[in-house]
Amino acid sequence: MPEQEPFMRAPTPAPKRTVYTDAMQIFERAADLINLPPRVRLELEEPDYEHIFYVTVRLRDRLVPISADAARAFADLPATKLRNPDGLELLADGKYILNGRALLGSDVAIRNGHLRLPNGNVYQLVVGESRRFKSYRVQHNQARGPYKGGIRYHHEVSLDLFKALAAEMTWKTAIAEIPFGGAKGGIAIDPRQYGKEELESITLRFMYKLKNLIGPNIDIPAPDVGTNAEIMALMYRQYSDGERERHHLRGIVTGKDVRIGGSEGRSKATGQGVAYCIEDYYAEKGESVRGKTFTLQGFGNVGSATAEILGSMGARLLAVNDAEGTIYNGDGIDVPALLAHVQDPKNLHRSVVGFPGAHRIEKSALWDVSADMLIPAALGGEITADVAERLKVKLIAEGANGPTTPDADKVLSRRGIDLIPDIIANAGGVTVSYYEWIQNKRMESWTEAEVNQKLEHAMKKNYRLIRDIARNRPRRTEMHDSRAFCIGQPVDTRCAAMVLALKRIAAHYQLEGFSQ
Ligand code: NAD
């Protein structure tokens, strides 16, 4: 037999373990189980495109608080009387942004670049500098439709993280049965350290550079951690400015305000979807959500909406953890009151901490609270194997993306804790994003009841398919038909969800083939 070329025999180096390789373990497992054709597997193992680019902006002047010691040197400095106090914008880190003409027309007393504000504190005036921010857009796969995925503004992001989140979108859009692929992107930035006008400049510049890569029929961004409907409005304006048919470009982003083409029901859609899954989970057992208890991590868009909806179904929230701390009330936390506390403009961190209707506990104590359910709705990787060993809940419904590590998955399965995996549990957001995109294309607007009716049907149908795959129970009911998806053996729920995604994606390659 002729000897093989040396390069053919070189062993493939074991890939370095990253957040991406961790996230892909479940893909590899499901691909093995269904014998995914090798070429389809190669197409899905890495993203179609990985874009890294930079956004530069000129920041505003700032007033930076100085220490009490340093302030002694300015003991006799009179306070500056501000004519236009609205020009000062207080940030979560205690600094003030000097917007526009904040000091114009005021009696300003400055010594050595320091001034005293009417609140009595001395601040150093720091002149705004230009800054560069690393930005990303990963387009993972478009076999089933245009790339689709959120924009994250957060200081702890990386290419590997965006690759993992983009791949998750490919699986999620397939599971939700909507004609999109997967993408994700954003900026390495802590948005709480920047003023409103600075964030506007950063967003406009980000979209200026992104415009080459996306389009309403190519790649459609949406809000994610650190971004919201206001950011989406800026992105839409920047993309469509000066275009002749700008109103036909409204579908360039989803998650917009309803007044400018957003969908009714979108802002609560992810939480609504989590709640529909939980409702169906209990309905199958002949139980209801009423009277159940839950703990929550994250009280942002997803966490607060899930809590509100579960609360309105009669469940009781016992504890919440967010980036600032953790609160607990064994009798149940009043969710509308907590929401009002978080949205109070004086609550700069928009945190649950300081809520009078509960007391503060250590973050780690969240994991020890006995409850029926835990809903992680913050960041990824929070439920580690150690955490999973401690949990005193019977069900985890993943509102966040990737909150449970692969090692924790094994612990949960050994301990018999049920799981509603992220790619189905939080698919409500992208499903209603799809409804928004259709409404934009058709220049229509649907009522919240219409949206929720469609969403409920989509969530419950696809969640039932996943449970049938997990139990190897091929059947046809009025709502769903799982016969083509079951694989002849039972599998865990996370793997079952991936099987559903891969079978739907693979069908495109099998029937349409590959472009050369
Ligand atoms: P958000 O920015 O509105 O809220 C994030 C929440 O997490 C805040 O309460 C914040 O305090 C908390 N948090 C941040 N860091 C934390 C930490 N280290 N420890 C504890 N809490 C922390 O974000 P969101 O839109 O609610 O998204 C939350 C999760 O849901 C993310 O994983 C996101 O990818 C996922 N998700 C969001 C949507 C959506 O429609 N918004 C859809 C699908 C999935």
Side-chain angles (χ1 to χ4, degrees):
M1 222 174 84
E3 256 193 46
Q4 282 188 332
E5 291 293 328
F7 76 86
M8 296 288 283
R9 279 188 278 120
T12 328
K16 200 171 79 208
R17 198 173 158 183
T18 65
V19 60
Y20 183 63
T21 57
D22 269 7
M24 291 298 279
Q25 282 183 25
I26 185 69
F27 163 82
E28 304 291 350
R29 199 145 63 82
D32 283 345
L33 270 173
I34 64 167
N35 282 324
L36 191 68
R39 189 165 173 194
V40 177
R41 191 169 181 145
L42 289 173
E43 289 281 336
L44 291 168
E45 264 172 354
E46 291 292 338
D48 289 347
Y49 304 99
E50 299 169 9
H51 305 283
I52 295 184
F53 52 100
Y54 294 88
V55 168
T56 62
V57 287
R58 171 90 192 275
L59 299 180
R60 297 291 153 97
D61 297 342
R62 278 166 164 62
L63 294 177
V64 179
I66 61 172
S67 68
D69 260 3
R72 264 184 224 119
F74 300 94
D76 57 341
L77 185 67
T80 287
K81 291 193 191 69
L82 293 171
R83 274 273 174 81
N84 177 21
D86 292 345
L88 284 187
E89 184 182 352
L90 180 57
L91 301 181
D93 58 7
K95 295 175 186 158
Y96 280 98
I97 301 277
L98 282 170
N99 279 326
R101 301 176 176 87
L103 297 180
L104 200 77
S106 305
D107 296 326
V108 186
I110 293 189
R111 191 195 304 156
N112 287 343
H114 290 74
L115 57 78
R116 185 185 300 283
L117 287 182
N119 66 13
N121 298 331
V122 179
Y123 293 79
Q124 185 183 6
L125 208 162
V126 175
V127 175
E129 52 178 28
S130 293
R131 190 161 296 176
R132 182 176 57 214
F133 297 93
K134 193 167 186 178
S135 308
Y136 304 82
R137 185 69 179 170
V138 175
Q139 295 166 324
H140 178 261
N141 187 272
Q142 59 171 343
R144 300 184 59 264
Y147 301 110
K148 181 92 189 82
I151 298 291
R152 181 172 291 198
Y153 286 1
H154 197 265
H155 48 290
E156 281 168 1
V157 293
S158 63
L159 181 61
D160 276 326
L161 176 68
F162 282 124
K163 281 173 68 176
L165 294 170
E168 278 234 349
M169 289 305 295
T170 302
W171 323 137
K172 199 179 298 184
T173 50
I175 284 173
E177 230 181 347
I178 56 179
F180 287 137
K184 204 84 171 195
I187 310 182
I189 184 175
D190 180 353
R192 294 173 311 171
Q193 292 185 9
Y194 299 89
K196 204 166 172 313
E197 292 183 15
E198 289 176 331
L199 284 172
E200 176 169 342
S201 306
I202 291 164
T203 301
L204 295 180
R205 189 70 188 165
F206 175 64
M207 183 48 125
Y208 173 82
K209 294 232 168 157
L210 194 63
K211 191 170 174 178
N212 280 332
L213 312 174
I214 65 171
N217 297 316
I218 298 170
D219 181 356
I220 304 128
D224 188 66
V225 177
T227 58
N228 52 26
E230 285 170 37
I231 301 279
M232 293 306 113
L234 296 172
M235 290 185 73
Y236 164 67
R237 192 187 80 206
Q238 178 73 336
Y239 186 86
S240 62
D241 235 2
E243 298 286 345
R244 275 167 52 117
E245 299 193 7
R246 64 187 295 264
H247 300 297
H248 289 280
L249 301 176
R250 234 166 249 285
I252 180 58
V253 286
T254 58
K256 299 180 290 290
D257 189 300
V258 283
R259 292 167 294 183
I260 59 164
S263 177
E264 293 289 351
R266 172 62 184 90
S267 62
K268 286 195 181 166
T270 306
Q272 186 72 65
V274 175
Y276 283 141
C277 287
I278 292 173
E279 190 180 40
D280 213 47
Y281 168 88
Y282 285 117
E284 194 188 31
K285 294 174 178 292
E287 296 174 30
S288 112
V289 174
R290 180 158 299 281
K292 297 286 186 298
T293 53
F294 65 107
T295 59
L296 182 62
Q297 185 184 42
F299 201 74
N301 175 294
V302 179
S304 63
T306 308
E308 252 193 309
I309 296 162
L310 289 180
S312 69
M313 291 171 157
R316 237 172 348 120
L317 173 62
L318 301 184
V320 192
N321 159 255
D322 71 11
E324 306 299 322
T326 311
I327 58 168
Y328 172 81
N329 182 343
D331 295 330
I333 293 171
D334 178 344
V335 177
L338 180 59
L339 206 58
H341 168 78
V342 169
Q343 288 169 350
D344 184 338
K346 289 199 283 297
N347 185 345
L348 288 177
H349 291 276
R350 301 179 76 79
S351 172
V352 298
V353 172
F355 176 61
H359 64 266
R360 194 159 177 180
I361 57 170
E362 285 298 311
K363 171 174 179 176
S364 65
L366 175 83
W367 312 126
D368 298 326
V369 176
S370 289
D372 293 298
M373 312 165 243
L374 162 67
I375 298 160
L379 299 179
E382 285 286 314
I383 303 176
T384 58
D386 285 348
V387 168
E389 288 287 1
R390 289 167 61 172
L391 290 177
K392 297 187 181 67
V393 297
K394 295 170 212 134
L395 170 69
I396 296 178
E398 295 182 330
N401 284 319
T404 312
T405 66
D407 291 342
D409 263 347
K410 291 181 197 134
V411 177
L412 296 180
S413 134
R414 171 170 52 74
R415 294 193 56 213
I417 297 176
D418 284 337
L419 181 80
I420 309 180
D422 50 4
I423 43 182
I424 177 70
N426 69 29
V430 76
T431 304
V432 177
S433 274
Y434 167 58
Y435 301 158
E436 177 176 338
W437 184 77
I438 301 181
Q439 290 170 72
N440 292 160
K441 273 194 173 293
R442 297 188 190 161
M443 297 270 186
E444 286 180 4
S445 78
W446 305 349
T447 64
E448 186 168 359
E450 277 176 273
V451 167
N452 281 345
Q453 194 189 3
K454 280 189 205 302
L455 177 66
E456 178 172 6
H457 183 267
M459 293 298 304
K460 292 186 175 174
K461 172 188 162 184
N462 289 307
Y463 182 36
R464 285 175 198 183
L465 283 172
I466 291 168
R467 278 179 295 177
D468 281 1
I469 298 169
R471 291 181 200 147
N472 192 31
R473 185 176 54 184
R475 61 182 173 144
R476 186 172 168 191
T477 68
E478 248 178 39
M479 196 189 224
H480 75 294
D481 183 351
S482 58
R483 292 171 302 173
F485 296 109
C486 291
I487 57 170
Q489 66 181 87
V491 285
D492 59 89
T493 323
R494 197 185 297 285
C495 196
M498 187 60 83
V499 165
L500 177 62
L502 294 187
K503 287 202 167 204
R504 283 184 175 153
I505 298 164
H508 282 261
Y509 287 107
Q510 281 155 348
L511 299 174
E512 296 168 20
F514 296 83
S515 299
Q516 302 294 330

